[in-house]
Amino acid sequence: MTHQEQLQALMVRIDALEQRERHLTYASNAYQAILTTLLGILDKPTRDRVISMVDQAHDVAYARANLEQKGNILGADDITQRIFLFAQGRAAQSRK
């Protein structure tokens, strides 16, 4: 395989990875919008219970995880916390 062919193959792989990243970003944004909407329309006691249960599930999963899984859980936890904070803020604003 020539350098030009290798470069072309590499560019095709890069394009595929960038497209996959865009699709994952779209899916993640949709997931976050759905969760924040659902949490935002719940009454405060129910929302707080849901958030508490998810926090507990993260703690249990983290305690049982291997090193690679722990990194994934911490990344998911950061996203989840942002969702919860946004939902709590939106819920507080909509009740004013």
Side-chain angles (χ1 to χ4, degrees), residues 27-42:
S28 175
N29 289 343
Y31 178 69
Q32 289 182 39
I34 290 166
L35 286 177
T36 54
T37 300
L38 289 173
L39 288 170
I41 62 174
L42 294 174

Side-chain angles (χ1 to χ4, degrees), residues 44-63:
K44 184 173 178 6
T46 303
R47 185 177 60 248
D48 290 347
R49 279 195 317 259
V50 169
I51 291 171
S52 177
M53 288 187 306
V54 172
D55 282 339
Q56 290 171 3
H58 275 235
D59 291 343
V60 169
Y62 188 82

Side-chain angles (χ1 to χ4, degrees), residues 5 14 16 24 54 74 78:
E5 291 169 333
I14 289 171
L24 289 172
V54 172
L74 288 176
D78 289 343

